[in-house]
Amino acid sequence: MQEANTHTAKRGTFSSGFGVLAATLGSAVGLGNIWKFPYLTGANGGAGFLLIYLLATLVIGLPVMMAELAVGRQARSNPITALQKLAPKGQPWWLIGAAGMVAAFLILSFYSEVVAWVFAYVFKAIGGSILSNDRHVTEAAFNALIGDPVQSLLWQWGVLIFIGGILLLGVTKGIEALAKKLMPLLFLLLMILCAVSLSLDKAGEGLAFLFRPDFSKITASAILTAMGLAFFKLSLGMGAMLTYGSYFRDDQNIPMTTARVMAADLCVSMLAGMAIFPAVFTFGFAPAAGPALVFITIPAVFSQIPMGQLLMIAFFVLAAIAATGAMLSLTEVPVVILHERLNIPRRRATLLTILGLALLGSTCALTNNVLANFKLFGLNMFDLYDFISSNVILPAGGILLAVFVGWVWGKEKFTNALSNQGKLNNPGVTRAAFFLLRYVSPVLTLLVMLKGLNLL
């Protein structure tokens, strides 16, 4: 592997503690917070599932997140160069960073298409064309969007150009500046939607679905689901946190930041559930997860609420904000690798990344129309990219990173990196995190991986 061009002197950094928190939270919060996590909580035992998720986050998510951020800040480099710098000479741990770049490309290829639907629905909500209490009307509108190859491609490319434009502004003026504006707006919109939803007649049924403990639903499968969410919801294993860690200031308290991100991320998910499910139950809809909930059920629900169109616009703007932060962190991974490894100017690296995503992502944009009958290994392109990244690359990357920190990098170097060479006092947290990284997190992540591959 050739030596890297590090560009260390030219690297951007996050300029403030709030900027660090906003950007890192923006990476963790995504569309899954809006539709997936609240539904899985309700369907798997409510408060009991939440408790298991929190425990899983403490023993899987937070230690791996701390490791990624610490490695990134210590090396001040992209994921490949960072691991190459810190690993013993000749050992190929840099492959973890390379795998993260591949995972980022695969995830962005299908995620950008879902985000394209969200952005399209912001404008559909403004126009009022989807405001109908007839589920068949909203379903037809969604099918018309995803079934049209021209619309699918144009909206996806529009989203990619939007993300590329932000990244062209750099780390401080682009990623951080936008995150500092969007994250407070995200919480404001969630609070408004919650206030309206909780005022509805059958709000109690929605809250019962979300929070009532039902321990009969806490099965082995539910526990593994909670463990998987603890890993995937924090954007781990894809190089994003490692990259953002390389932009952290020296005085940033990494354990405190990870704890705040975890708490705020969970808060977003719960507020989203409180905003959605009381309204869904009030008007007699099924609390399904995924696109059916967001693009078909939600418009029908808002059509029956006072100021429904305005609130629906707010909801899809909220979803667009959540998606933007996640896309920025993922897209930054290949951008910074191309920039620092191949000595390509950042502007050109960004343009090349967006072009590559437009080409690969088009196979997902056309999955529901032109390529509807094209499959590999029994999966369409959308599902294939999702399966490979979610069930193979991400958990494998998380396992290997934990092994690297716990068994190769070692306790002393990890402690120094996490405490900024002893300037930040957190010995108890560091000892606990290192123990979990060495003995617990890899084993539990392996179980998640085996479940995803249907081997468990």
Side-chain angles (χ1 to χ4, degrees):
M1 188 75 181
Q2 66 178 16
E3 289 300 315
N5 297 291
T6 60
H7 296 262
T8 302
K10 302 176 184 177
R11 294 186 104 250
T13 58
F14 295 130
S15 64
S16 66
F18 177 64
V20 169
L21 178 62
T24 311
L25 178 61
S27 175
V29 171
L31 290 176
N33 291 70
I34 309 298
W35 75 48
K36 188 174 184 180
F37 184 79
Y39 171 76
L40 287 176
T41 298
N44 287 284
F49 181 83
L50 270 181
L51 179 61
I52 295 170
Y53 167 77
L54 288 172
L55 290 173
T57 301
L58 290 174
V59 298
I60 300 177
L62 290 190
V64 176
M65 189 177 181
M66 281 188 226
E68 287 203 31
L69 293 173
V71 166
R73 185 172 68 179
Q74 182 69 16
R76 296 285 181 202
S77 303
N78 64 80
I80 294 177
T81 302
L83 287 157
Q84 191 178 40
K85 277 184 176 181
L86 302 180
K89 192 176 179 71
Q91 294 188 12
W93 292 98
W94 58 267
L95 287 170
I96 300 174
M101 179 176 175
V102 173
F105 255 98
L106 291 175
I107 293 168
L108 284 165
S109 295
F110 66 83
Y111 192 66
S112 61
E113 182 57 19
V114 181
V115 177
W117 302 340
V118 172
F119 274 73
Y121 263 63
V122 171
F123 290 91
K124 286 180 180 292
I126 293 171
S129 63
I130 54 173
L131 195 67
S132 170
N133 61 6
D134 186 346
R135 196 176 188 275
H136 296 293
V137 173
T138 57
E139 187 172 4
F142 179 60
N143 289 334
L145 172 64
I146 67 174
D148 185 336
V150 175
Q151 280 199 72
S152 296
L153 286 171
L154 289 179
W155 279 110
Q156 184 188 55
W157 294 345
V159 166
L160 290 172
I161 291 169
F162 170 64
I163 295 298
I166 297 168
L167 292 178
L168 284 174
L169 296 174
V171 176
T172 306
K173 294 181 180 178
I175 297 172
E176 180 182 1
L178 192 73
K180 287 162 74 172
K181 293 180 176 68
L182 291 186
M183 286 301 104
L185 180 58
L186 177 84
F187 279 94
L188 176 62
L189 290 174
L190 271 173
M191 296 303 292
I192 293 171
L193 289 170
C194 279
V196 174
S197 192
L198 293 175
S199 69
L200 297 173
D201 292 341
K202 295 184 179 179
E205 291 185 25
L207 294 179
F209 171 77
L210 191 60
F211 293 115
R212 179 183 293 157
D214 183 354
F215 293 103
S216 67
K217 293 182 179 178
I218 305 299
T219 62
S221 179
I223 293 171
L224 287 170
T225 298
M227 287 163 51
L229 282 171
F231 182 84
F232 296 117
K233 274 187 85 276
L234 296 176
S235 296
L236 303 177
M238 57 189 76
M241 288 300 172
L242 206 156
T243 300
Y244 273 17
S246 73
Y247 302 139
F248 271 31
R249 301 183 311 166
D250 289 337
D251 62 351
Q252 190 70 29
N253 188 317
I254 289 177
M256 183 66 72
T257 299
T258 57
R260 286 172 176 170
V261 168
M262 182 204 80
D265 180 67
L266 180 62
C267 184
V268 169
S269 295
M270 291 300 94
L271 286 173
M274 292 166 63
I276 292 170
F277 292 121
V280 168
F281 277 86
T282 294
F283 296 107
F285 290 97
L293 173 67
V294 173
F295 300 109
I296 298 172
T297 303
I298 289 297
V301 166
F302 279 122
S303 70
Q304 302 174 70
I305 298 176
M307 299 187 301
Q309 183 174 1
L310 188 62
L311 292 170
M312 183 167 61
I313 293 169
F315 173 81
F316 284 109
V317 168
L318 161 72
I321 291 171
T324 296
M327 279 198 71
L328 283 172
S329 67
L330 274 171
T331 313
E332 177 67 9
V333 175
V335 168
V336 73
I337 288 175
L338 290 175
H339 175 48
E340 295 182 354
R341 295 296 302 180
L342 301 181
N343 203 23
I344 298 173
R346 183 178 172 90
R347 178 178 294 272
R348 191 180 303 167
T350 303
L351 295 175
L352 286 172
T353 298
I354 296 303
L355 179 60
L357 288 172
L359 292 172
L360 189 62
S362 65
T363 61
C364 295
L366 300 176
T367 289
N368 294 296
N369 38 74
V370 176
L371 298 178
N373 297 317
F374 180 78
K375 295 185 178 181
L376 287 175
F377 309 106
L379 299 171
N380 60 39
M381 293 300 95
F382 191 107
D383 294 336
L384 180 64
Y385 297 160
D386 186 9
F387 181 85
I388 293 172
S389 56
S390 299
N391 297 311
V392 180
I393 302 178
L394 296 188
I399 292 167
L400 290 172
L401 187 75
V403 170
F404 170 75
V405 171
W407 295 94
V408 178
W409 204 28
K411 185 175 182 180
E412 183 179 349
K413 292 178 181 177
F414 175 67
T415 300
N416 286 336
L418 208 60
S419 65
N420 190 23
Q421 313 307 317
K423 295 176 185 175
L424 302 173
N425 187 28
N426 43 32
V429 173
T430 302
R431 282 196 298 270
F434 185 78
F435 174 82
L436 291 170
L437 282 167
R438 199 170 204 192
Y439 299 109
V440 181
S441 300
V443 176
L444 296 183
T445 308
L446 178 61
L447 293 178
V448 171
M449 184 177 181
L450 292 175
K451 178 181 184 290
L453 295 172
N454 294 318
L455 297 175
L456 194 65

